[in-house]
Amino acid sequence: MGYERQADLGTPPSASADSVELTIDGRQISVPAGTSVMRAAAQSGGHIPKLCATDSIKSFGSCRLCLVEIDGMRGTPASCTTPVSEGMVVHTQTQRLQKLRRSVMELYISDHPLDCLTCSANNDCELQDEAAAVGLRDVRFGYEGSNHLGLDVDSSNPYFDFDPSKCIACSRCVRACDEIQGTFALTMDGRGFESKISAGTRDDDFLSSECVSCGACVQACPTAALDEKAVKEIGRPERAVVTTCAYCGVGCTFRAEMRGEQLVRMVPWKDGKANRGHSCVKGRFAWGYANHQDRITSPMIRDHIDEPWREVSWDEAIAFAAARIDAIRIRHGSEALGGITSSRCTNEETFLVQKMVRSVFGTNNVDTCARVCHSPTGYGLKTAFGTSAGTQDFDSVEHSDVILVIGANPTDGHPVFASRMKRRLRQGAKLIVIDPRRIDLVRSPHIEAAHHLPLQPGTNVAVLTAMAHVIVTENLADETFIRERCDWQEYDDWRQFVSDSRHSPEALESVTRVPANELRQAARLFATGGNGAIYYGLGVTEHSQGSSTVMAIANLAMATGNIGRPGVGVNPLRGQNNVQGACDMGSFPHELPGYRHVHEADTRQLFEREWGTTLDAEPGLRIPNMLDAAVDGTFKAIYIQGEDILQSDPNTRHVAAGLAAMECVVVHDLFLNETANYAHVFLPGSTFLEKNGTFTNAERRIQPVRKVMQPANGFEDWEVTQLLANALGAGWSYSHPAEILDEIACLTPSFAGVSWSRLEQVGSLQWPVNEQHPDGAPVMHMDGFVRGKGKFVVTDYVPTDEKTGPRFPLLLTTGRILSHYNVGAQTRRTKNTAWHPEDLLEMHPADAENRGLKDGDWTRLASRTGETTLRVKVTDRVAPGVVYTTFHHPETQANVVTTDYSDWATNCPEYKVTAVQVMPSNGPSDWQEDYSKRTDRSRRVIEDVPAE
Amino acid sequence: MNETAHSVIRMANQIARNFEILGKEAAVAATQDHIASFWDRRMKAAAFGLLPSADVGFSPLAREALERLAGETDGAGHQDAG
């Protein structure tokens, strides 16, 4: 598309089902009751000049530009705050209105710099447009009097400037921060002529304030008062392409606004069904990694990992990799080979990687980064409901009355959805938070959790069982729902189990450290408070009982009848952009696409016919088992697409030992990541801006990813996989991801109705898309569970083997922060480092005092597995006895400390519970020093590019 | 004992412990089914290879599940589930 600003109807839509007929400028129209006159006029093709109104926030009625005349009504009401009524006759253009609007506009312009030709918003400025619309030709008031033209620009935010001289005090930014983002960081400071937008206190600037840099204020600003630095540097965009963000599992859609081949800005798409026009600091601004100087665009090879890299042609790199893989297969068999798919890559790319491993390598040794995050979700929800996916769409939260958040930190991990959740909470929904830390949701502006259960890490199952105990023993279960929808005998077994007095909150308090009375009240609220929705994250899955906790959550939802309609459900908040899709596409070693077990002969035959090959009927190795086998000498070669297992997986020393033992490690990525230190072949990857395909977000929404620029490395990632597969004899001939998507649809029942052309028409589809659900299924299990009857599973609390003791008396839990994403490979290469330049260790003041530690001190963090150093942040967000850190920076290598313990059902690592000791330190650990030397040695490159 | 052997002992015991609440018969069956469904054949073979040693550390439930699975599986760890 060419460049057009997104349509703005002035005020939000009305949800009313009733309609009203009225006449605007002689045109008869019908609109929903409650619609503003401004919006009705816009819907009928007209335009009423406006400045303080925009359709993403409530009307305000301050700019007085949108005045209209209405028959029978005195004066000239503001059209933005006047609702339509039956038979209303509205006039939007009269001489009287024209005169009034010109006078209003004259006042605005009298205190606005007339530097349009050199202004970054020139031709993209609502003030400029409306001055033209009202026919302003002269300003009578001059500029000699008091004005705001000399005020200083606040350039503290790395991505946008605030120029108060261009501010018209319309308050759109303040209202966007309040209503859309829900941070309440901005305010209109002062009164009358002294009115000024202020971030935080008078001593604050945008960077030091509570502002989370979501961009909602920039998006709302009608002038250049809040404008992206990139627009100032590059110029006004000239075209826009709608695509899907490659950060978290919310799956925001954006307009990539381009000038030539250069990305100017990412603007949240108002029609995006996942984000509804909102964004966060990562998706909105943190795309600079795509052009970062660290990006590798030439393939590289080396015979041994101690040698420097040698840049080579694509042909040589692919031939080198294929020869090594083939030689290993001949010598050691197919079982010595494997691959890892990426949750950051598209469905089509992931599908091809697992297809290559299964049908070309000849083994089921394929796994994915979901192994270390949401594999328990797959196991648990498939067991309970029959599908490995969340039950709701994001819109569902608007119908929730009680929201239970367990093991998730949505304001940091899934900020755009968190804003929608916070909006619902401000409307009156009740909140229960189960988390060892006092996350922001527990208490933030205009939000306070009804109950925060600060449990001991590792006791999720005990807490949920205690909640179930209260619900069952106090007769709060929804037995009508259970009899109709679930297996009654299984429910009865579960009911007896949870009713046992040893599962009461009082009996378990010594284990969970949650006050029994608080837990009882939380359970009662969830069972009786109306629509109850459960949202969870990696604080549920990354435990030795991750799968049990997922099933315990499902039990709770079924027992209270909170499944199968909007406002309820079980909602895993997926970490990476395409975790759902990577799992759907058959990335697990025991499942073919569509979650069908490799044991199923009929399913295998379907794929064998399509792919012209024979498939192994036994599951392959999971990532940790691949590493074990590598150390043992039976696993020799791996192809890793878009995943940095050395930094992201637990027990870094073990990962390093496994990788070092392999004879061929092929890393396909944007950067020389930490895993590449142990690689023999580096194949440069393409960014999400450089490829076509689809991502599937946490609400099962399949959305198009569109290429907005040519790949800097020369190929989209699916093309690179095809090159390697063909070098190994595959004979593939895909020319566009649409063809791969057709193959996926043909082989995967839940994708049966999905195609590239269909997605182009409808924007997105939520699987299943099949005969039963031709337009997809926003809410699942409406009329019955996919597996038939919902299954209650008895989830016995089994304490983790990771115990604290005299040597390691503290419990470490890990997580992420708003400004960074996963291992930080992308966000560390953006200006987001302004907010989080290093990983910090959060520690309770009492624990810090016991160790003589002050805020900012260097500490040694040691576990039975390893040790690292990092600085301490003293805070009571964590409970005594618990410490917390992130894993975004390779210098810290937080996973040197985490252990091999994992979920009993899926081997998802137990990142959230590690017994540690913390003590003062004055320098990096031996591991950090050795690793730093290895990294420097490993990244040497001989730059002699041979001719193609 | 190699890495895979260490891992399969710990994993088998952990699986069996989580099914223990079902009662012995059901727990053994569930453990057997879980290992059959999710373990690669070399992991199964490694576990089967450890069974003759009485003191390798398998819990009674895990051992019984593995013995039953070994009885239904050929020497390469392949279960005929096709």
Side-chain angles (χ1 to χ4, degrees):
Chain A
M1 68 173 86
Y3 187 77
E4 283 179 22
R5 206 180 294 156
Q6 295 185 71
D8 183 355
L9 303 184
T11 63
S14 164
S16 175
D18 300 328
S19 60
V20 166
E21 298 216 352
L22 73 160
T23 304
I24 299 181
D25 295 335
R27 296 187 301 273
Q28 280 200 319
I29 61 167
S30 176
V31 295
T35 302
S36 72
V37 169
M38 174 182 281
R39 188 179 177 94
Q43 285 182 204
S44 69
H47 172 73
I48 299 174
K50 64 181 181 60
L51 284 174
C52 73
T54 185
D55 59 12
S56 57
I57 51 180
K58 286 184 273 191
S59 55
F60 197 51
S62 78
C63 76
R64 314 313 295 170
L65 203 64
C66 70
L67 309 177
V68 292
E69 291 185 73
I70 298 173
D71 287 358
M73 196 176 284
R74 290 174 55 196
T76 51
S79 63
C80 63
T81 53
T82 305
V84 295
S85 62
E86 189 64 38
M88 181 182 266
V89 178
V90 180
H91 308 280
T92 72
Q93 287 291 347
T94 66
Q95 284 194 344
R96 179 188 179 200
L97 292 172
Q98 198 170 8
K99 194 173 173 185
L100 283 170
R101 287 178 188 152
R102 270 189 198 163
S103 297
V104 169
M105 183 57 80
E106 222 178 329
L107 288 168
Y108 277 111
I109 298 300
S110 71
D111 190 11
H112 195 86
L114 293 181
D115 60 351
C116 293
L117 285 180
T118 55
C119 178
S120 57
N122 189 24
N123 279 328
D124 191 17
C125 171
E126 292 182 42
L127 183 67
Q128 193 180 43
D129 293 348
E130 300 299 20
V134 302
L136 185 71
R137 298 289 174 264
D138 189 25
V139 177
R140 291 169 290 168
F141 308 121
Y143 296 94
E144 294 79 23
S146 296
N147 59 51
H148 298 84
L149 303 183
L151 296 178
D152 291 336
V153 176
D154 178 352
S155 298
S156 60
N157 185 290
Y159 297 114
F160 61 83
D161 292 335
F162 173 55
D163 183 349
S165 73
K166 293 179 177 173
C167 175
I168 59 170
C170 64
S171 194
R172 274 163 62 163
C173 55
V174 177
R175 290 178 286 137
C177 188
D178 296 355
E179 295 177 28
I180 300 171
Q181 169 55 29
T183 294
F184 296 83
L186 304 182
T187 189
M188 184 66 78
D189 193 20
R191 299 175 70 84
F193 188 76
E194 300 300 322
S195 298
K196 179 177 177 292
I197 298 299
S198 172
T201 68
R202 290 190 174 187
D203 295 330
D204 276 318
D205 54 26
F206 266 80
L207 187 61
S208 68
S209 74
E210 295 292 311
C211 167
V212 293
S213 202
C214 68
C217 57
V218 180
Q219 177 76 352
C221 183
T223 71
L226 284 159
D227 207 5
E228 292 96 337
K229 292 180 198 284
V231 174
K232 293 183 176 178
E233 289 162 10
I234 301 168
R236 181 177 176 268
E238 59 186 12
R239 65 188 171 95
V241 181
V242 173
T243 191
T244 305
C245 181
Y247 281 121
C248 78
V250 175
C252 298
T253 39
F254 281 87
R255 282 168 32 121
E257 299 195 350
M258 309 290 296
R259 187 162 188 86
E261 274 276 294
Q262 195 168 11
L263 179 60
V264 178
R265 62 184 174 190
M266 295 287 281
V267 178
W269 190 40
K270 291 164 80 168
D271 290 339
K273 294 188 177 70
N275 54 320
R276 303 286 181 194
H278 191 33
S279 59
C280 78
V281 62
K282 295 189 282 287
R284 180 74 156 88
F285 296 117
W287 38 266
Y289 69 87
N291 303 313
H292 194 275
Q293 60 182 9
D294 287 353
R295 185 152 170 215
I296 306 291
T297 54
S298 299
M300 300 191 295
I301 59 172
R302 56 187 173 189
D303 285 323
H304 192 274
I305 58 174
D306 289 329
E307 296 176 354
W309 286 105
R310 188 160 61 87
E311 288 188 4
V312 296
S313 67
W314 275 101
D315 284 349
E316 187 174 350
I318 294 292
F320 181 90
R324 282 212 166 190
I325 291 168
D326 222 20
I328 292 167
R329 177 169 51 188
I330 291 165
R331 250 191 346 265
H332 302 284
S334 291
E335 291 189 344
L337 312 176
I340 299 177
T341 75
S342 176
S343 295
R344 298 178 207 169
C345 289
T346 63
N347 285 319
E348 295 73 18
E349 287 163 344
T350 304
F351 180 86
L352 274 205
V353 172
Q354 65 86 34
K355 177 177 177 179
M356 178 174 73
V357 172
R358 295 185 200 278
S359 69
V360 182
F361 287 8
T363 172
N364 286 325
N365 293 334
V366 62
D367 208 357
T368 182
C369 30
R371 173 66 53 213
V372 299
C373 63
H374 269 288
S375 50
T377 291
Y379 179 89
L381 297 187
K382 187 170 185 182
T383 302
F385 304 148
T387 50
S388 299
T391 61
Q392 311 296 119
D393 60 359
F394 289 141
D395 289 349
S396 168
V397 77
E398 293 171 11
H399 305 280
S400 298
D401 301 309
V402 181
I403 297 170
L404 192 164
V405 176
I406 174 170
N409 187 6
T411 54
D412 280 35
H414 305 85
V416 170
F417 175 68
S419 290
R420 298 185 71 183
M421 183 187 279
K422 289 198 290 186
R423 188 185 307 173
R424 181 62 187 157
L425 292 169
R426 292 197 302 275
Q427 290 168 349
K430 301 284 189 257
L431 175 66
I432 301 166
V433 173
I434 304 176
D435 200 289
R437 294 171 71 227
R438 196 181 64 243
I439 58 172
D440 284 351
L441 268 183
V442 172
R443 185 176 165 82
S444 60
H446 300 280
I447 287 170
E448 183 160 18
H451 303 286
H452 174 212
L453 311 185
L455 77 175
Q456 177 79 344
T459 63
N460 284 332
V461 170
V463 167
L464 292 167
T465 303
M467 288 183 73
H469 174 91
V470 175
I471 289 166
V472 168
T473 57
E474 296 187 8
N475 297 317
L476 303 177
D478 185 346
E479 293 200 352
T480 307
F481 175 90
I482 297 163
R483 281 189 187 281
E484 185 184 331
R485 302 286 301 274
C486 305
D487 185 306
W488 182 261
Q489 184 58 53
E490 286 169 347
Y491 168 71
D492 201 44
D493 293 343
W494 175 81
R495 184 187 60 77
Q496 289 181 40
F497 169 77
V498 300
S499 300
D500 193 306
S501 60
R502 69 192 168 97
H503 295 132
S504 72
E506 292 75 15
L508 287 168
E509 186 172 330
S510 62
V511 172
T512 64
R513 297 194 185 173
V514 175
N517 186 49
E518 191 76 19
L519 191 148
R520 279 193 180 273
Q521 290 183 52
R524 290 170 190 148
L525 173 62
F526 185 74
T528 63
N531 283 341
I534 304 175
Y535 292 86
Y536 73 88
L538 306 184
V540 158
T541 56
E542 290 175 344
H543 285 277
S544 63
Q545 283 200 293
S547 293
S548 301
T549 311
V550 172
M551 292 186 288
I553 286 170
N555 290 338
L556 212 57
M558 290 188 292
T560 52
N562 279 311
I563 287 285
R565 63 181 186 279
V568 300
V570 175
N571 303 275
L573 293 171
R574 305 283 186 163
Q576 301 199 53
N577 52 313
N578 200 33
V579 176
Q580 182 68 57
C583 298
D584 299 342
M585 292 299 102
S587 293
F588 289 133
H590 66 286
E591 283 174 337
L592 289 156
Y595 303 99
R596 287 163 297 168
H597 203 285
V598 294
H599 282 169
E600 295 170 15
D602 291 349
T603 302
R604 282 201 315 278
Q605 283 165 13
L606 182 71
F607 283 84
E608 286 170 346
R609 273 198 303 273
E610 181 69 23
W611 293 349
T613 187
T614 303
L615 297 176
D616 191 351
E618 280 291 285
L621 292 168
R622 299 164 175 175
I623 294 171
N625 312 132
M626 290 182 197
L627 295 166
D628 285 345
V631 172
D632 293 342
T634 65
F635 188 84
K636 299 284 188 182
I638 192 165
Y639 168 69
I640 305 173
Q641 183 178 72
E643 172 72 349
D644 190 359
I645 59 172
L646 192 81
Q647 196 182 339
S648 64
D649 285 31
N651 193 353
T652 306
R653 287 168 191 268
H654 182 60
V655 178
L659 288 168
M662 295 184 204
E663 294 174 10
C664 181
V665 175
V666 181
V667 168
H668 181 184
D669 215 304
L670 299 174
F671 304 104
L672 275 175
N673 60 19
E674 306 311 306
T675 306
N677 290 344
Y678 295 85
H680 306 83
V681 182
F682 184 86
L683 302 176
S686 51
T687 74
F688 77 110
L689 298 166
E690 300 168 343
K691 61 173 76 166
N692 288 304
T694 57
F695 291 151
T696 306
N697 74 356
E699 47 169 6
R700 296 169 278 103
R701 187 180 299 283
I702 307 157
Q703 305 188 104
V705 178
R706 295 187 177 90
K707 180 154 76 172
V708 302
M709 60 179 72
Q710 292 303 312
N713 59 325
F715 294 104
E716 299 178 40
D717 289 335
W718 62 270
E719 293 179 290
V720 175
T721 306
Q722 177 163 268
L723 286 172
L724 181 59
N726 283 345
L728 290 161
W732 295 349
S733 57
Y734 302 106
S735 61
H736 190 277
E739 296 166 11
I740 306 170
L741 186 55
D742 287 343
E743 185 172 318
I744 294 166
C746 152
L747 291 168
T748 314
S750 54
F751 275 62
V754 181
S755 67
W756 187 259
S757 58
R758 183 98 196 277
L759 289 171
E760 290 279 18
Q761 287 167 13
V762 299
S764 67
L765 290 162
Q766 286 176 274
W767 69 255
V769 188
N770 51 26
E771 272 187 28
Q772 199 182 350
H773 303 282
D775 298 318
V779 176
M780 294 193 79
H781 316 299
M782 297 276 274
D783 305 314
F785 288 102
V786 169
R787 72 182 301 277
K789 293 286 188 183
K791 181 180 181 65
F792 279 88
V793 178
V794 172
T795 54
D796 193 20
Y797 168 60
V798 179
T800 172
D801 290 332
E802 178 72 354
K803 311 284 188 198
T804 55
R807 284 181 62 212
F808 302 105
L810 303 171
L811 279 183
L812 168 73
T813 184
T814 63
R816 62 189 67 192
I817 198 163
L818 170 66
S819 50
H820 281 297
Y821 176 67
N822 205 267
V823 296
Q826 292 138 289
T827 47
R828 279 185 286 107
R829 292 178 171 98
T830 71
K831 293 172 182 171
N832 277 22
T833 50
W835 287 277
H836 188 83
E838 60 185 319
D839 293 321
L840 297 171
L841 184 73
E842 291 187 3
M843 176 179 263
H844 191 272
D847 291 324
E849 190 175 338
N850 285 342
R851 289 163 177 77
L853 291 168
K854 299 189 303 296
D855 207 52
D857 282 354
W858 283 96
T859 65
R860 187 166 75 94
L861 172 69
S863 73
R864 294 179 184 88
T865 307
E867 62 182 52
T868 188
T869 56
L870 69 173
R871 291 197 299 160
V872 70
K873 180 180 179 182
V874 180
T875 171
D876 65 0
R877 280 168 70 103
V878 289
V882 176
V883 290
Y884 167 87
T885 191
T886 49
F887 60 101
H888 301 307
H889 292 269
E891 296 80 16
T892 313
Q893 291 273 356
N895 283 319
V896 170
V897 176
T898 53
T899 70
D900 281 333
Y901 292 124
S902 62
D903 174 44
W904 67 271
T906 66
N907 281 137
C908 182
E910 190 176 42
Y911 292 109
K912 303 298 185 186
V913 185
T914 306
V916 295
Q917 178 57 291
V918 178
M919 60 209 80
S921 170
N922 56 6
S925 66
D926 291 345
W927 163 263
Q928 283 170 299
E929 286 189 340
D930 292 347
Y931 186 78
S932 176
K933 286 178 194 163
R934 161 166 277 287
T935 299
D936 290 344
R937 199 168 62 244
S938 174
R939 290 183 179 165
R940 291 169 299 158
V941 178
I942 301 171
E943 294 177 0
D944 60 338
V945 184
E948 285 277 343
Chain B
M1 193 180 291
N2 64 19
E3 292 279 330
T4 300
H6 274 296
S7 291
V8 297
I9 294 167
R10 187 174 70 206
M11 289 167 65
N13 289 345
Q14 202 184 356
I15 294 163
R17 174 65 187 86
N18 274 274
F19 284 127
E20 196 177 306
I21 190 70
L22 301 177
K24 190 192 167 197
E25 266 312 302
V28 168
T31 303
Q32 178 187 344
D33 179 62
H34 191 91
I35 292 172
S37 296
F38 295 105
W39 284 20
D40 150 84
R41 59 167 63 83
R42 90 193 70 178
M43 293 166 65
K44 290 172 187 161
F48 299 160
L50 293 165
L51 288 173
S53 307
D55 56 354
V56 292
F58 284 126
S59 70
L61 280 180
R63 174 174 287 280
E64 189 163 344
L66 284 164
E67 284 171 349
R68 286 195 199 175
L69 185 61
E72 295 176 4
T73 308
D74 65 33
H78 180 270
Q79 186 183 29
D80 186 13

